[in-house]
Amino acid sequence: VLLASALVGGMGCGGSETTPSAGSEPGGEASPVPEETPGIADMPYLPLSLEATSLRFQRVYRLASLASESPLVPLPAEATRADVQAWAERELVPWVQLRSDIIADCRVEMRALRGGEENEHIVASALLGYLYEDTAMQLHGVRLPTPGNPRADVRAAPAERIEVLLEYARRSFERCLLAGLGDLEVVTYRQYCQEAITRLGPSSAEVLPGDSERGAGEEDAAAVETSAP
């Protein structure tokens, strides 16, 4: 059975709200203390105070955080054909749809952030690149059993679709570097993007669907085909 879902398109979900914190100075007067923003797995610590950033940036960060907290449930070991089908319907399809919604909303916000505050643009570009790369790697990490051919290397998404996702990741990381130098506090995100570009290697694609500087409403979806026997 071929299961197809759009990776970029539709509505997304937001993360949890932050809560202001305060400290106490001598004399009993309270003074604001920068809140420690929860980190995102495999990403540098956010050096910005989330509450002090734009609402668009906050949305991108919370969506990326939601994605990091919602990994794809692994396929059961020694799964049968029926097990794979049940897992695909119960876990794979909803997960791909969630990632689709998250990335769609992040792309919408990114359109506005490109003309906004430089530090936010740098970090948000890195977060979008993370979303694309993490989605590709999680799909590639699922090897589907093939009855009668145990050596067959069939993944949860075709290799060409994985490469499309990785190319979107490369371009997001490149935009992170092209956004500007930013302040010293965001240097770790620029380093993250540079290391990601090196890790992903040279691009093998010249044109991608929807990968343009047009309005977010005109950006086409990049489809991910997920295969399950």
Side-chain angles (χ1 to χ4, degrees):
V1 177
L2 182 65
L3 305 168
S5 297
L7 181 62
V8 181
M11 300 292 292
C13 303
S16 58
E17 296 294 325
T18 56
T19 303
S21 61
S24 179
E25 289 185 341
E29 295 183 1
S31 63
V33 174
E35 182 180 354
E36 291 190 2
T37 304
I40 295 176
D42 301 322
M43 294 290 292
Y45 175 77
L46 181 66
L48 309 175
S49 171
L50 193 59
E51 287 185 324
T53 60
S54 68
L55 293 178
R56 291 187 181 278
F57 177 83
Q58 291 179 35
R59 183 160 174 75
V60 170
Y61 191 85
R62 287 169 176 157
L63 287 168
S65 179
L66 172 63
S68 74
E69 296 168 357
S70 309
L72 177 60
V73 174
L75 179 66
E78 300 182 2
T80 64
R81 184 187 185 91
D83 291 336
V84 173
Q85 182 63 35
W87 169 82
E89 295 174 356
R90 184 174 58 252
E91 306 293 350
L92 180 59
V93 171
W95 183 85
V96 170
Q97 185 59 58
L98 175 62
R99 286 298 175 109
S100 170
D101 293 343
I102 287 174
I103 291 176
D105 280 5
C106 285
R107 284 167 64 101
V108 170
E109 305 300 351
M110 279 300 304
R111 177 62 182 172
L113 287 171
R114 286 170 191 162
E117 206 275 331
E118 190 174 77
N119 288 342
E120 292 184 7
H121 186 187
I122 290 170
V123 176
S125 296
L127 291 171
L128 185 57
Y130 156 79
L131 286 171
Y132 277 123
E133 184 182 11
D134 182 70
T135 301
M137 291 298 94
Q138 291 205 53
L139 289 172
H140 179 70
V142 179
R143 185 174 182 272
L144 302 178
T146 305
N149 188 3
R151 295 186 179 182
D153 189 15
V154 179
R155 302 289 170 165
E160 59 270 21
R161 305 317 301 162
I162 295 295
E163 183 52 39
V164 166
L165 290 171
L166 293 178
E167 182 59 25
Y168 276 117
R170 288 186 191 93
R171 297 190 183 192
S172 294
F173 291 135
E174 288 171 355
R175 288 185 179 125
C176 166
L177 299 181
L178 293 173
L181 295 177
D183 296 331
L184 182 61
E185 59 189 351
V186 298
V187 69
T188 54
Y189 273 83
R190 285 180 51 82
Q191 291 173 346
Y192 174 85
C193 290
Q194 184 61 67
E195 291 170 359
I197 291 171
T198 301
R199 178 175 65 253
L200 292 174
S203 171
S204 61
E206 295 183 0
V207 179
L208 288 175
D211 189 49
S212 70
E213 296 300 321
R214 296 175 296 169
E218 300 176 20
E219 292 181 342
D220 299 327
V224 172
E225 294 178 346
T226 57
S227 304

